[in-house]
Amino acid sequence: GLTADQVESIQLEAYSVACDIAGIAAPRTGLEGKFSLAFCVALALGEGDTGQAQFSDEKVRDPALVALRDKVKITSNPALSPSRARIKAFTKDGRVLENFMDTLDLAKDQEKVKQDLVRKFQDLSMPILGEEKTGKLMAKIRRLENVSNLKTLSSLTKG
């Protein structure tokens, strides 16, 4: 696979609205990092993880990630549908690696979608509720049709 130190530059083409919404070139906070396609690309390549915890103020200022982020050029392509993106990585040894992605294709893999939702739920819940309550809440949600009283469910949502 491609590693961050092999990259000379990266070109990302995305739907124009995605570029408008997530076009922050140099995010200063973790929240701004979520709205920076360039930072998200750097994070995916540099860390291999784009989970909730990765979008911290420290990560958006990490010199290695900033250097990689600055190698990413974002281009708006109105011909692409909202779910599509094209990425080209140019390596220091002269290779060009290209990939075309459609998030709707990813959504067809229901097991992967479920895993991603569970991971996101855990990422968002565990810092507030802790591991034990998050696990109990997930178990209740998975058996929601058997929950006779929603008070038991809502009692688990308090940190």
mmCIF file with all atom_site columns, all heavy atoms in Angstrom, residues 5-32:
data_model
loop_
_atom_site.group_PDB
_atom_site.id
_atom_site.type_symbol
_atom_site.label_atom_id
_atom_site.label_alt_id
_atom_site.label_comp_id
_atom_site.label_asym_id
_atom_site.label_entity_id
_atom_site.label_seq_id
_atom_site.pdbx_PDB_ins_code
_atom_site.Cartn_x
_atom_site.Cartn_y
_atom_site.Cartn_z
_atom_site.occupancy
_atom_site.B_iso_or_equiv
_atom_site.pdbx_formal_charge
_atom_site.auth_seq_id
_atom_site.auth_comp_id
_atom_site.auth_asym_id
_atom_site.auth_atom_id
_atom_site.pdbx_PDB_model_num
ATOM 1   N N   . ASP A 1 5  ? 5.056   8.878  3.401   1.00 0.00 ? 5  ASP A N   1
ATOM 2   C CA  . ASP A 1 5  ? 6.384   9.349  2.981   1.00 0.00 ? 5  ASP A CA  1
ATOM 3   C C   . ASP A 1 5  ? 6.660   9.103  1.497   1.00 0.00 ? 5  ASP A C   1
ATOM 4   O O   . ASP A 1 5  ? 7.609   9.655  0.950   1.00 0.00 ? 5  ASP A O   1
ATOM 5   C CB  . ASP A 1 5  ? 7.481   8.731  3.860   1.00 0.00 ? 5  ASP A CB  1
ATOM 6   C CG  . ASP A 1 5  ? 7.516   7.220  3.798   1.00 0.00 ? 5  ASP A CG  1
ATOM 7   O OD1 . ASP A 1 5  ? 6.446   6.602  3.696   1.00 0.00 ? 5  ASP A OD1 1
ATOM 8   O OD2 . ASP A 1 5  ? 8.624   6.655  3.869   1.00 0.00 ? 5  ASP A OD2 1
ATOM 9   N N   . GLN A 1 6  ? 5.852   8.311  0.829   1.00 0.00 ? 6  GLN A N   1
ATOM 10  C CA  . GLN A 1 6  ? 6.018   8.065  -0.608  1.00 0.00 ? 6  GLN A CA  1
ATOM 11  C C   . GLN A 1 6  ? 5.325   9.122  -1.466  1.00 0.00 ? 6  GLN A C   1
ATOM 12  O O   . GLN A 1 6  ? 5.560   9.208  -2.659  1.00 0.00 ? 6  GLN A O   1
ATOM 13  C CB  . GLN A 1 6  ? 5.444   6.686  -0.976  1.00 0.00 ? 6  GLN A CB  1
ATOM 14  C CG  . GLN A 1 6  ? 6.169   5.523  -0.346  1.00 0.00 ? 6  GLN A CG  1
ATOM 15  C CD  . GLN A 1 6  ? 5.440   4.213  -0.605  1.00 0.00 ? 6  GLN A CD  1
ATOM 16  O OE1 . GLN A 1 6  ? 4.212   4.131  -0.482  1.00 0.00 ? 6  GLN A OE1 1
ATOM 17  N NE2 . GLN A 1 6  ? 6.191   3.193  -0.980  1.00 0.00 ? 6  GLN A NE2 1
ATOM 18  N N   . VAL A 1 7  ? 4.482   9.946  -0.849  1.00 0.00 ? 7  VAL A N   1
ATOM 19  C CA  . VAL A 1 7  ? 3.620   10.860 -1.602  1.00 0.00 ? 7  VAL A CA  1
ATOM 20  C C   . VAL A 1 7  ? 4.324   12.159 -1.959  1.00 0.00 ? 7  VAL A C   1
ATOM 21  O O   . VAL A 1 7  ? 4.883   12.837 -1.108  1.00 0.00 ? 7  VAL A O   1
ATOM 22  C CB  . VAL A 1 7  ? 2.338   11.172 -0.783  1.00 0.00 ? 7  VAL A CB  1
ATOM 23  C CG1 . VAL A 1 7  ? 1.524   12.269 -1.456  1.00 0.00 ? 7  VAL A CG1 1
ATOM 24  C CG2 . VAL A 1 7  ? 1.502   9.922  -0.605  1.00 0.00 ? 7  VAL A CG2 1
ATOM 25  N N   . GLU A 1 8  ? 4.255   12.494 -3.235  1.00 0.00 ? 8  GLU A N   1
ATOM 26  C CA  . GLU A 1 8  ? 4.712   13.793 -3.723  1.00 0.00 ? 8  GLU A CA  1
ATOM 27  C C   . GLU A 1 8  ? 3.551   14.785 -3.685  1.00 0.00 ? 8  GLU A C   1
ATOM 28  O O   . GLU A 1 8  ? 3.695   15.900 -3.194  1.00 0.00 ? 8  GLU A O   1
ATOM 29  C CB  . GLU A 1 8  ? 5.233   13.654 -5.157  1.00 0.00 ? 8  GLU A CB  1
ATOM 30  C CG  . GLU A 1 8  ? 5.793   14.928 -5.752  1.00 0.00 ? 8  GLU A CG  1
ATOM 31  C CD  . GLU A 1 8  ? 7.086   15.367 -5.091  1.00 0.00 ? 8  GLU A CD  1
ATOM 32  O OE1 . GLU A 1 8  ? 7.907   14.510 -4.729  1.00 0.00 ? 8  GLU A OE1 1
ATOM 33  O OE2 . GLU A 1 8  ? 7.255   16.597 -4.921  1.00 0.00 ? 8  GLU A OE2 1
ATOM 34  N N   . SER A 1 9  ? 2.400   14.353 -4.214  1.00 0.00 ? 9  SER A N   1
ATOM 35  C CA  . SER A 1 9  ? 1.204   15.186 -4.191  1.00 0.00 ? 9  SER A CA  1
ATOM 36  C C   . SER A 1 9  ? -0.034  14.315 -4.396  1.00 0.00 ? 9  SER A C   1
ATOM 37  O O   . SER A 1 9  ? 0.072   13.177 -4.853  1.00 0.00 ? 9  SER A O   1
ATOM 38  C CB  . SER A 1 9  ? 1.261   16.278 -5.265  1.00 0.00 ? 9  SER A CB  1
ATOM 39  O OG  . SER A 1 9  ? 1.232   15.697 -6.554  1.00 0.00 ? 9  SER A OG  1
ATOM 40  N N   . ILE A 1 10 ? -1.184  14.889 -4.045  1.00 0.00 ? 10 ILE A N   1
ATOM 41  C CA  . ILE A 1 10 ? -2.458  14.192 -4.200  1.00 0.00 ? 10 ILE A CA  1
ATOM 42  C C   . ILE A 1 10 ? -3.461  15.163 -4.811  1.00 0.00 ? 10 ILE A C   1
ATOM 43  O O   . ILE A 1 10 ? -3.534  16.324 -4.410  1.00 0.00 ? 10 ILE A O   1
ATOM 44  C CB  . ILE A 1 10 ? -2.992  13.690 -2.835  1.00 0.00 ? 10 ILE A CB  1
ATOM 45  C CG1 . ILE A 1 10 ? -2.062  12.620 -2.268  1.00 0.00 ? 10 ILE A CG1 1
ATOM 46  C CG2 . ILE A 1 10 ? -4.415  13.152 -2.959  1.00 0.00 ? 10 ILE A CG2 1
ATOM 47  C CD1 . ILE A 1 10 ? -2.423  12.159 -0.869  1.00 0.00 ? 10 ILE A CD1 1
ATOM 48  N N   . GLN A 1 11 ? -4.205  14.678 -5.796  1.00 0.00 ? 11 GLN A N   1
ATOM 49  C CA  . GLN A 1 11 ? -5.277  15.465 -6.392  1.00 0.00 ? 11 GLN A CA  1
ATOM 50  C C   . GLN A 1 11 ? -6.593  14.774 -6.086  1.00 0.00 ? 11 GLN A C   1
ATOM 51  O O   . GLN A 1 11 ? -6.741  13.582 -6.335  1.00 0.00 ? 11 GLN A O   1
ATOM 52  C CB  . GLN A 1 11 ? -5.106  15.562 -7.907  1.00 0.00 ? 11 GLN A CB  1
ATOM 53  C CG  . GLN A 1 11 ? -3.932  16.387 -8.339  1.00 0.00 ? 11 GLN A CG  1
ATOM 54  C CD  . GLN A 1 11 ? -3.779  16.407 -9.861  1.00 0.00 ? 11 GLN A CD  1
ATOM 55  O OE1 . GLN A 1 11 ? -4.497  15.744 -10.586 1.00 0.00 ? 11 GLN A OE1 1
ATOM 56  N NE2 . GLN A 1 11 ? -2.825  17.195 -10.329 1.00 0.00 ? 11 GLN A NE2 1
ATOM 57  N N   . LEU A 1 12 ? -7.537  15.513 -5.538  1.00 0.00 ? 12 LEU A N   1
ATOM 58  C CA  . LEU A 1 12 ? -8.856  14.982 -5.240  1.00 0.00 ? 12 LEU A CA  1
ATOM 59  C C   . LEU A 1 12 ? -9.895  15.793 -5.980  1.00 0.00 ? 12 LEU A C   1
ATOM 60  O O   . LEU A 1 12 ? -9.930  17.020 -5.868  1.00 0.00 ? 12 LEU A O   1
ATOM 61  C CB  . LEU A 1 12 ? -9.145  15.036 -3.736  1.00 0.00 ? 12 LEU A CB  1
ATOM 62  C CG  . LEU A 1 12 ? -10.551 14.603 -3.316  1.00 0.00 ? 12 LEU A CG  1
ATOM 63  C CD1 . LEU A 1 12 ? -10.724 13.099 -3.487  1.00 0.00 ? 12 LEU A CD1 1
ATOM 64  C CD2 . LEU A 1 12 ? -10.830 14.998 -1.887  1.00 0.00 ? 12 LEU A CD2 1
ATOM 65  N N   . GLU A 1 13 ? -10.711 15.122 -6.782  1.00 0.00 ? 13 GLU A N   1
ATOM 66  C CA  . GLU A 1 13 ? -11.848 15.756 -7.446  1.00 0.00 ? 13 GLU A CA  1
ATOM 67  C C   . GLU A 1 13 ? -13.097 15.324 -6.705  1.00 0.00 ? 13 GLU A C   1
ATOM 68  O O   . GLU A 1 13 ? -13.299 14.130 -6.474  1.00 0.00 ? 13 GLU A O   1
ATOM 69  C CB  . GLU A 1 13 ? -11.974 15.293 -8.895  1.00 0.00 ? 13 GLU A CB  1
ATOM 70  C CG  . GLU A 1 13 ? -11.000 15.897 -9.847  1.00 0.00 ? 13 GLU A CG  1
ATOM 71  C CD  . GLU A 1 13 ? -11.249 15.366 -11.251 1.00 0.00 ? 13 GLU A CD  1
ATOM 72  O OE1 . GLU A 1 13 ? -12.381 15.528 -11.774 1.00 0.00 ? 13 GLU A OE1 1
ATOM 73  O OE2 . GLU A 1 13 ? -10.325 14.784 -11.809 1.00 0.00 ? 13 GLU A OE2 1
ATOM 74  N N   . ALA A 1 14 ? -13.929 16.266 -6.337  1.00 0.00 ? 14 ALA A N   1
ATOM 75  C CA  . ALA A 1 14 ? -15.159 15.946 -5.622  1.00 0.00 ? 14 ALA A CA  1
ATOM 76  C C   . ALA A 1 14 ? -16.283 16.830 -6.142  1.00 0.00 ? 14 ALA A C   1
ATOM 77  O O   . ALA A 1 14 ? -16.049 17.844 -6.803  1.00 0.00 ? 14 ALA A O   1
ATOM 78  C CB  . ALA A 1 14 ? -14.969 16.149 -4.123  1.00 0.00 ? 14 ALA A CB  1
ATOM 79  N N   . TYR A 1 15 ? -17.486 16.432 -5.824  1.00 0.00 ? 15 TYR A N   1
ATOM 80  C CA  . TYR A 1 15 ? -18.683 17.192 -6.174  1.00 0.00 ? 15 TYR A CA  1
ATOM 81  C C   . TYR A 1 15 ? -18.560 18.602 -5.607  1.00 0.00 ? 15 TYR A C   1
ATOM 82  O O   . TYR A 1 15 ? -18.053 18.807 -4.507  1.00 0.00 ? 15 TYR A O   1
ATOM 83  C CB  . TYR A 1 15 ? -19.903 16.465 -5.605  1.00 0.00 ? 15 TYR A CB  1
ATOM 84  C CG  . TYR A 1 15 ? -21.228 17.069 -5.949  1.00 0.00 ? 15 TYR A CG  1
ATOM 85  C CD1 . TYR A 1 15 ? -21.662 17.154 -7.276  1.00 0.00 ? 15 TYR A CD1 1
ATOM 86  C CD2 . TYR A 1 15 ? -22.082 17.521 -4.960  1.00 0.00 ? 15 TYR A CD2 1
ATOM 87  C CE1 . TYR A 1 15 ? -22.890 17.699 -7.586  1.00 0.00 ? 15 TYR A CE1 1
ATOM 88  C CE2 . TYR A 1 15 ? -23.329 18.056 -5.267  1.00 0.00 ? 15 TYR A CE2 1
ATOM 89  C CZ  . TYR A 1 15 ? -23.720 18.145 -6.586  1.00 0.00 ? 15 TYR A CZ  1
ATOM 90  O OH  . TYR A 1 15 ? -24.946 18.683 -6.896  1.00 0.00 ? 15 TYR A OH  1
ATOM 91  N N   . SER A 1 16 ? -19.033 19.588 -6.339  1.00 0.00 ? 16 SER A N   1
ATOM 92  C CA  . SER A 1 16 ? -18.838 20.988 -5.957  1.00 0.00 ? 16 SER A CA  1
ATOM 93  C C   . SER A 1 16 ? -19.399 21.310 -4.572  1.00 0.00 ? 16 SER A C   1
ATOM 94  O O   . SER A 1 16 ? -18.771 22.048 -3.811  1.00 0.00 ? 16 SER A O   1
ATOM 95  C CB  . SER A 1 16 ? -19.435 21.909 -7.014  1.00 0.00 ? 16 SER A CB  1
ATOM 96  O OG  . SER A 1 16 ? -20.774 21.553 -7.284  1.00 0.00 ? 16 SER A OG  1
ATOM 97  N N   . VAL A 1 17 ? -20.536 20.747 -4.196  1.00 0.00 ? 17 VAL A N   1
ATOM 98  C CA  . VAL A 1 17 ? -21.119 21.031 -2.880  1.00 0.00 ? 17 VAL A CA  1
ATOM 99  C C   . VAL A 1 17 ? -20.228 20.476 -1.775  1.00 0.00 ? 17 VAL A C   1
ATOM 100 O O   . VAL A 1 17 ? -20.025 21.116 -0.737  1.00 0.00 ? 17 VAL A O   1
ATOM 101 C CB  . VAL A 1 17 ? -22.559 20.477 -2.774  1.00 0.00 ? 17 VAL A CB  1
ATOM 102 C CG1 . VAL A 1 17 ? -23.097 20.644 -1.366  1.00 0.00 ? 17 VAL A CG1 1
ATOM 103 C CG2 . VAL A 1 17 ? -23.465 21.165 -3.783  1.00 0.00 ? 17 VAL A CG2 1
ATOM 104 N N   . ALA A 1 18 ? -19.656 19.295 -1.998  1.00 0.00 ? 18 ALA A N   1
ATOM 105 C CA  . ALA A 1 18 ? -18.733 18.715 -1.011  1.00 0.00 ? 18 ALA A CA  1
ATOM 106 C C   . ALA A 1 18 ? -17.531 19.629 -0.815  1.00 0.00 ? 18 ALA A C   1
ATOM 107 O O   . ALA A 1 18 ? -17.068 19.834 0.309   1.00 0.00 ? 18 ALA A O   1
ATOM 108 C CB  . ALA A 1 18 ? -18.282 17.324 -1.448  1.00 0.00 ? 18 ALA A CB  1
ATOM 109 N N   . CYS A 1 19 ? -17.041 20.199 -1.898  1.00 0.00 ? 19 CYS A N   1
ATOM 110 C CA  . CYS A 1 19 ? -15.906 21.118 -1.804  1.00 0.00 ? 19 CYS A CA  1
ATOM 111 C C   . CYS A 1 19 ? -16.285 22.390 -1.046  1.00 0.00 ? 19 CYS A C   1
ATOM 112 O O   . CYS A 1 19 ? -15.474 22.921 -0.282  1.00 0.00 ? 19 CYS A O   1
ATOM 113 C CB  . CYS A 1 19 ? -15.389 21.470 -3.196  1.00 0.00 ? 19 CYS A CB  1
ATOM 114 S SG  . CYS A 1 19 ? -14.648 20.079 -4.056  1.00 0.00 ? 19 CYS A SG  1
ATOM 115 N N   . ASP A 1 20 ? -17.503 22.856 -1.245  1.00 0.00 ? 20 ASP A N   1
ATOM 116 C CA  . ASP A 1 20 ? -17.967 24.049 -0.529  1.00 0.00 ? 20 ASP A CA  1
ATOM 117 C C   . ASP A 1 20 ? -18.113 23.772 0.965   1.00 0.00 ? 20 ASP A C   1
ATOM 118 O O   . ASP A 1 20 ? -17.691 24.557 1.799   1.00 0.00 ? 20 ASP A O   1
ATOM 119 C CB  . ASP A 1 20 ? -19.315 24.525 -1.081  1.00 0.00 ? 20 ASP A CB  1
ATOM 120 C CG  . ASP A 1 20 ? -19.216 25.062 -2.500  1.00 0.00 ? 20 ASP A CG  1
ATOM 121 O OD1 . ASP A 1 20 ? -18.091 25.389 -2.935  1.00 0.00 ? 20 ASP A OD1 1
ATOM 122 O OD2 . ASP A 1 20 ? -20.258 25.145 -3.170  1.00 0.00 ? 20 ASP A OD2 1
ATOM 123 N N   . ILE A 1 21 ? -18.717 22.639 1.290   1.00 0.00 ? 21 ILE A N   1
ATOM 124 C CA  . ILE A 1 21 ? -18.983 22.301 2.691   1.00 0.00 ? 21 ILE A CA  1
ATOM 125 C C   . ILE A 1 21 ? -17.702 21.929 3.426   1.00 0.00 ? 21 ILE A C   1
ATOM 126 O O   . ILE A 1 21 ? -17.502 22.316 4.574   1.00 0.00 ? 21 ILE A O   1
ATOM 127 C CB  . ILE A 1 21 ? -20.012 21.151 2.786   1.00 0.00 ? 21 ILE A CB  1
ATOM 128 C CG1 . ILE A 1 21 ? -21.376 21.639 2.297   1.00 0.00 ? 21 ILE A CG1 1
ATOM 129 C CG2 . ILE A 1 21 ? -20.111 20.611 4.207   1.00 0.00 ? 21 ILE A CG2 1
ATOM 130 C CD1 . ILE A 1 21 ? -22.402 20.538 2.131   1.00 0.00 ? 21 ILE A CD1 1
ATOM 131 N N   . ALA A 1 22 ? -16.843 21.173 2.760   1.00 0.00 ? 22 ALA A N   1
ATOM 132 C CA  . ALA A 1 22 ? -15.640 20.654 3.421   1.00 0.00 ? 22 ALA A CA  1
ATOM 133 C C   . ALA A 1 22 ? -14.384 21.200 2.750   1.00 0.00 ? 22 ALA A C   1
ATOM 134 O O   . ALA A 1 22 ? -13.422 20.470 2.510   1.00 0.00 ? 22 ALA A O   1
ATOM 135 C CB  . ALA A 1 22 ? -15.645 19.125 3.411   1.00 0.00 ? 22 ALA A CB  1
ATOM 136 N N   . GLY A 1 23 ? -14.391 22.491 2.488   1.00 0.00 ? 23 GLY A N   1
ATOM 137 C CA  . GLY A 1 23 ? -13.278 23.092 1.765   1.00 0.00 ? 23 GLY A CA  1
ATOM 138 C C   . GLY A 1 23 ? -12.276 23.840 2.618   1.00 0.00 ? 23 GLY A C   1
ATOM 139 O O   . GLY A 1 23 ? -11.467 24.609 2.093   1.00 0.00 ? 23 GLY A O   1
ATOM 140 N N   . ILE A 1 24 ? -12.295 23.636 3.929   1.00 0.00 ? 24 ILE A N   1
ATOM 141 C CA  . ILE A 1 24 ? -11.330 24.341 4.789   1.00 0.00 ? 24 ILE A CA  1
ATOM 142 C C   . ILE A 1 24 ? -9.932  23.816 4.473   1.00 0.00 ? 24 ILE A C   1
ATOM 143 O O   . ILE A 1 24 ? -9.638  22.642 4.680   1.00 0.00 ? 24 ILE A O   1
ATOM 144 C CB  . ILE A 1 24 ? -11.670 24.169 6.282   1.00 0.00 ? 24 ILE A CB  1
ATOM 145 C CG1 . ILE A 1 24 ? -13.037 24.789 6.583   1.00 0.00 ? 24 ILE A CG1 1
ATOM 146 C CG2 . ILE A 1 24 ? -10.584 24.788 7.158   1.00 0.00 ? 24 ILE A CG2 1
ATOM 147 C CD1 . ILE A 1 24 ? -13.530 24.561 8.006   1.00 0.00 ? 24 ILE A CD1 1
ATOM 148 N N   . ALA A 1 25 ? -9.089  24.683 3.953   1.00 0.00 ? 25 ALA A N   1
ATOM 149 C CA  . ALA A 1 25 ? -7.749  24.271 3.517   1.00 0.00 ? 25 ALA A CA  1
ATOM 150 C C   . ALA A 1 25 ? -6.810  24.014 4.689   1.00 0.00 ? 25 ALA A C   1
ATOM 151 O O   . ALA A 1 25 ? -6.014  23.072 4.656   1.00 0.00 ? 25 ALA A O   1
ATOM 152 C CB  . ALA A 1 25 ? -7.159  25.332 2.590   1.00 0.00 ? 25 ALA A CB  1
ATOM 153 N N   . ALA A 1 26 ? -6.879  24.857 5.707   1.00 0.00 ? 26 ALA A N   1
ATOM 154 C CA  . ALA A 1 26 ? -5.957  24.748 6.853   1.00 0.00 ? 26 ALA A CA  1
ATOM 155 C C   . ALA A 1 26 ? -6.751  24.800 8.159   1.00 0.00 ? 26 ALA A C   1
ATOM 156 O O   . ALA A 1 26 ? -6.815  25.837 8.813   1.00 0.00 ? 26 ALA A O   1
ATOM 157 C CB  . ALA A 1 26 ? -4.922  25.861 6.795   1.00 0.00 ? 26 ALA A CB  1
ATOM 158 N N   . PRO A 1 27 ? -7.370  23.681 8.528   1.00 0.00 ? 27 PRO A N   1
ATOM 159 C CA  . PRO A 1 27 ? -8.163  23.678 9.761   1.00 0.00 ? 27 PRO A CA  1
ATOM 160 C C   . PRO A 1 27 ? -7.303  23.963 10.984  1.00 0.00 ? 27 PRO A C   1
ATOM 161 O O   . PRO A 1 27 ? -6.148  23.557 11.053  1.00 0.00 ? 27 PRO A O   1
ATOM 162 C CB  . PRO A 1 27 ? -8.742  22.261 9.801   1.00 0.00 ? 27 PRO A CB  1
ATOM 163 C CG  . PRO A 1 27 ? -7.816  21.439 8.972   1.00 0.00 ? 27 PRO A CG  1
ATOM 164 C CD  . PRO A 1 27 ? -7.279  22.354 7.919   1.00 0.00 ? 27 PRO A CD  1
ATOM 165 N N   . ARG A 1 28 ? -7.889  24.683 11.946  1.00 0.00 ? 28 ARG A N   1
ATOM 166 C CA  . ARG A 1 28 ? -7.174  25.034 13.173  1.00 0.00 ? 28 ARG A CA  1
ATOM 167 C C   . ARG A 1 28 ? -7.675  24.261 14.386  1.00 0.00 ? 28 ARG A C   1
ATOM 168 O O   . ARG A 1 28 ? -7.037  24.259 15.428  1.00 0.00 ? 28 ARG A O   1
ATOM 169 C CB  . ARG A 1 28 ? -7.290  26.531 13.442  1.00 0.00 ? 28 ARG A CB  1
ATOM 170 C CG  . ARG A 1 28 ? -6.604  27.388 12.366  1.00 0.00 ? 28 ARG A CG  1
ATOM 171 C CD  . ARG A 1 28 ? -7.049  28.801 12.462  1.00 0.00 ? 28 ARG A CD  1
ATOM 172 N NE  . ARG A 1 28 ? -8.524  28.794 12.371  1.00 0.00 ? 28 ARG A NE  1
ATOM 173 C CZ  . ARG A 1 28 ? -9.274  29.819 12.080  1.00 0.00 ? 28 ARG A CZ  1
ATOM 174 N NH1 . ARG A 1 28 ? -8.730  30.960 11.854  1.00 0.00 ? 28 ARG A NH1 1
ATOM 175 N NH2 . ARG A 1 28 ? -10.586 29.724 12.013  1.00 0.00 ? 28 ARG A NH2 1
ATOM 176 N N   . THR A 1 29 ? -8.871  23.661 14.242  1.00 0.00 ? 29 THR A N   1
ATOM 177 C CA  . THR A 1 29 ? -9.445  22.898 15.358  1.00 0.00 ? 29 THR A CA  1
ATOM 178 C C   . THR A 1 29 ? -9.890  21.531 14.842  1.00 0.00 ? 29 THR A C   1
ATOM 179 O O   . THR A 1 29 ? -10.051 21.332 13.628  1.00 0.00 ? 29 THR A O   1
ATOM 180 C CB  . THR A 1 29 ? -10.676 23.616 15.949  1.00 0.00 ? 29 THR A CB  1
ATOM 181 O OG1 . THR A 1 29 ? -11.714 23.637 14.957  1.00 0.00 ? 29 THR A OG1 1
ATOM 182 C CG2 . THR A 1 29 ? -10.337 25.029 16.412  1.00 0.00 ? 29 THR A CG2 1
ATOM 183 N N   . GLY A 1 30 ? -10.132 20.633 15.769  1.00 0.00 ? 30 GLY A N   1
ATOM 184 C CA  . GLY A 1 30 ? -10.615 19.313 15.388  1.00 0.00 ? 30 GLY A CA  1
ATOM 185 C C   . GLY A 1 30 ? -11.937 19.390 14.647  1.00 0.00 ? 30 GLY A C   1
ATOM 186 O O   . GLY A 1 30 ? -12.149 18.666 13.668  1.00 0.00 ? 30 GLY A O   1
ATOM 187 N N   . LEU A 1 31 ? -12.821 20.286 15.083  1.00 0.00 ? 31 LEU A N   1
ATOM 188 C CA  . LEU A 1 31 ? -14.102 20.451 14.408  1.00 0.00 ? 31 LEU A CA  1
ATOM 189 C C   . LEU A 1 31 ? -13.907 20.936 12.968  1.00 0.00 ? 31 LEU A C   1
ATOM 190 O O   . LEU A 1 31 ? -14.529 20.421 12.041  1.00 0.00 ? 31 LEU A O   1
ATOM 191 C CB  . LEU A 1 31 ? -14.998 21.417 15.179  1.00 0.00 ? 31 LEU A CB  1
ATOM 192 C CG  . LEU A 1 31 ? -16.384 21.658 14.574  1.00 0.00 ? 31 LEU A CG  1
ATOM 193 C CD1 . LEU A 1 31 ? -17.173 20.359 14.443  1.00 0.00 ? 31 LEU A CD1 1
ATOM 194 C CD2 . LEU A 1 31 ? -17.153 22.672 15.408  1.00 0.00 ? 31 LEU A CD2 1
ATOM 195 N N   . GLU A 1 32 ? -13.025 21.905 12.772  1.00 0.00 ? 32 GLU A N   1
ATOM 196 C CA  . GLU A 1 32 ? -12.741 22.366 11.410  1.00 0.00 ? 32 GLU A CA  1
ATOM 197 C C   . GLU A 1 32 ? -12.143 21.236 10.567  1.00 0.00 ? 32 GLU A C   1
ATOM 198 O O   . GLU A 1 32 ? -12.364 21.175 9.364   1.00 0.00 ? 32 GLU A O   1
ATOM 199 C CB  . GLU A 1 32 ? -11.800 23.565 11.428  1.00 0.00 ? 32 GLU A CB  1
ATOM 200 C CG  . GLU A 1 32 ? -12.460 24.850 11.856  1.00 0.00 ? 32 GLU A CG  1
ATOM 201 C CD  . GLU A 1 32 ? -11.522 26.061 11.767  1.00 0.00 ? 32 GLU A CD  1
ATOM 202 O OE1 . GLU A 1 32 ? -10.329 25.897 11.446  1.00 0.00 ? 32 GLU A OE1 1
ATOM 203 O OE2 . GLU A 1 32 ? -12.001 27.175 12.042  1.00 0.00 ? 32 GLU A OE2 1
#
